Amino acid sequence: FAEALDAGDFAIYYLNTAIVAFGILAVQIVTISLAGYAFARLTFPGRELIFYVFLLQLMLVPPILIVPNLRTIVDLGLYGSLLGVMAPYFASAFGTFLMRQTFRQIPRDFEEASVIDGAHWWQTLWHVLLPMAKPRLIAFSLVSLMAHWNEFLWPLMVLNEPRTQTLTIGLATFALGSE
């Protein structure tokens, strides 16, 4: 076991995987909260249409987006970096849908009370709505972390150096003996 652990840089692989999974989650929590709030509480022209177009992303098979995402990552100069692996996942249609439904179920009375107390919309979101949405945020966090911790194909396409590999790629490389 000692020789096997020395043969691969598993500490680096674990660190890279943790950076990717938790980095994606941190940005997703912000984006899904703001988008969910906008679709649930704000009124603007075409809100429902934009939301349903946004939900179309759920109907796409992820491998279909590999080539356009890879071209974008290369054009942005992020190829070979952990940020290049994380960037396509910063927005989540599932998370936005979940937060929209969560915010729609919270009575507007709480929001109105905070506005009467002088809170801005972002204070209402931070101090009133998000604490009430904590169970769904935790559920989403678990799903997101599991999905991105176990991701294989996209990091394989983006990462080309052993020092930036995630755990799934590192284990596959180790198992094939090309380490």
Side-chain angles (χ1 to χ4, degrees), residues 28-140:
Q28 278 183 339
I29 293 295
V30 173
T31 58
I32 70 171
S33 297
L34 292 174
Y37 177 80
F39 286 126
R41 297 291 200 215
L42 303 179
T43 55
F44 52 89
R47 177 181 72 169
E48 296 300 317
L49 178 65
I50 293 170
F51 178 69
Y52 291 126
V53 168
F54 196 71
L55 284 183
L56 284 175
Q57 177 188 353
L58 291 174
M59 297 170 75
L60 295 176
V61 180
I64 243 175
L65 300 173
I66 285 181
V67 172
N69 282 347
L70 194 57
R71 286 186 58 101
T72 303
I73 293 301
V74 169
D75 290 345
L76 292 173
L78 298 175
Y79 185 77
S81 70
L82 295 179
L83 186 57
V85 174
M86 295 187 288
Y89 297 108
F90 284 162
S92 167
F94 169 70
T96 301
F97 174 74
L98 185 68
M99 294 310 293
R100 175 185 179 257
Q101 296 306 105
T102 301
F103 292 147
R104 288 181 80 177
Q105 291 177 353
I106 297 173
R108 287 195 182 263
D109 297 343
F110 294 107
E111 194 173 356
E112 291 168 0
S114 68
V115 170
I116 289 172
D117 287 342
H120 295 285
W121 69 268
W122 54 270
Q123 290 172 319
T124 301
L125 177 63
W126 182 256
H127 294 291
V128 178
L129 297 176
L130 285 178
M132 292 180 169
K134 194 180 294 185
R136 294 216 180 137
L137 283 172
I138 291 170
F140 174 78

Side-chain angles (χ1 to χ4, degrees), residues 21 24-25 28 139-149:
I24 290 170
L25 178 63
Q28 278 183 339
F140 174 78
S141 297
L142 293 173
V143 171
S144 177
L145 284 173
M146 288 296 286
H148 296 106
W149 187 274

